[in-house]
Amino acid sequence: MASKSRIAVFVVSAGLALTVGVPGAAAGDRPEVNPGTFVLVSGSSPHCLEVAGWSTDNGAPVQQWSCHGGNNQSWRAPGGGQLVNQHTGKCLEIGGWSTASGALAQQWECNGGANQKWEWSRVTSGGEILRNVWSGKCLDVPGGVSLWGPGYFNGVRMQQWDCWNGKNQQWFVFTPGSRSPVDY
């Protein structure tokens, strides 16, 4: 019985540690509360947000890919709403300052523009919605609502879309290396 109690305490403690490790409870720049690096895992697939092909170029696509723990899948939030890729030091943005639904996400040299700023808000699932400050639209996995739909696979480019809090707009924050690699 004592052994079961210890396991229950460990499980509860581990859950609390994960909850505490997830950026803070206030809306806005959540990761500023926990300024280390983190990975963003899609709510609609077991994939991580990354800069495609380890590119360091401005305009390189941002996509989802099987989580592998590489720095191109690690992000940090140094403040002001920016999301900076750990590998490149460049910011996640919506290209061309677009306000259109379907405009693609990319990386670009950080310049403080509103198209490179993201507001975080927690939804009841525990996931986070990332709303672009410039467009007011959310980071979205296209076609990512249904299991095994077109948005479920590696290489799908991220876009912005009207916010509706669907699973394809939810992101879960993890410490790098805390998730087992998944390859679909």
Side-chain angles (χ1 to χ4, degrees):
M1 185 72 158
S3 154
K4 287 183 182 178
S5 296
R6 282 190 213 126
I7 291 171
V9 168
F10 173 77
V11 169
V12 170
S13 297
L16 290 174
L18 285 174
T19 302
V20 172
V22 171
D29 292 334
R30 285 195 200 280
E32 288 181 12
V33 176
N34 181 5
T37 60
F38 52 89
V39 294
L40 293 168
V41 179
S42 171
S44 64
S45 73
H47 296 94
C48 288
L49 186 70
E50 72 167 23
V51 175
W54 293 78
S55 177
T56 58
D57 296 339
N58 281 334
V62 173
Q63 64 183 14
Q64 70 177 9
W65 200 266
S66 296
C67 300
H68 54 69
N71 277 344
N72 69 323
Q73 292 184 343
S74 292
W75 301 87
R76 57 189 168 80
Q82 293 177 323
L83 283 172
V84 179
N85 185 266
Q86 187 67 14
H87 173 65
T88 65
K90 295 185 178 182
C91 284
L92 174 67
E93 71 168 26
I94 298 300
W97 290 77
S98 179
T99 57
S101 287
L104 296 174
Q106 64 184 19
Q107 74 171 1
W108 202 271
E109 199 70 41
C110 298
N111 58 34
N115 68 324
Q116 293 184 344
K117 293 182 180 179
W118 301 87
E119 293 177 340
W120 297 66
S121 58
R122 174 129 333 132
V123 292
T124 56
S125 68
E128 300 283 346
I129 302 296
L130 297 171
R131 181 184 308 266
N132 186 266
V133 170
W134 175 254
S135 67
K137 297 184 185 295
C138 288
L139 189 63
D140 180 278
V141 179
V145 178
S146 64
L147 185 62
W148 302 105
Y152 191 78
F153 299 99
N154 283 334
V156 175
R157 287 204 54 190
M158 298 304 99
Q159 67 179 7
Q160 68 178 2
W161 201 264
D162 292 332
C163 299
W164 67 286
N165 298 349
K167 286 186 174 197
N168 65 320
Q169 292 185 347
Q170 294 177 31
W171 299 92
F172 292 85
V173 180
F174 291 92
T175 303
S178 68
R179 285 187 57 93
S180 299
V182 179
D183 190 12
Y184 288 129

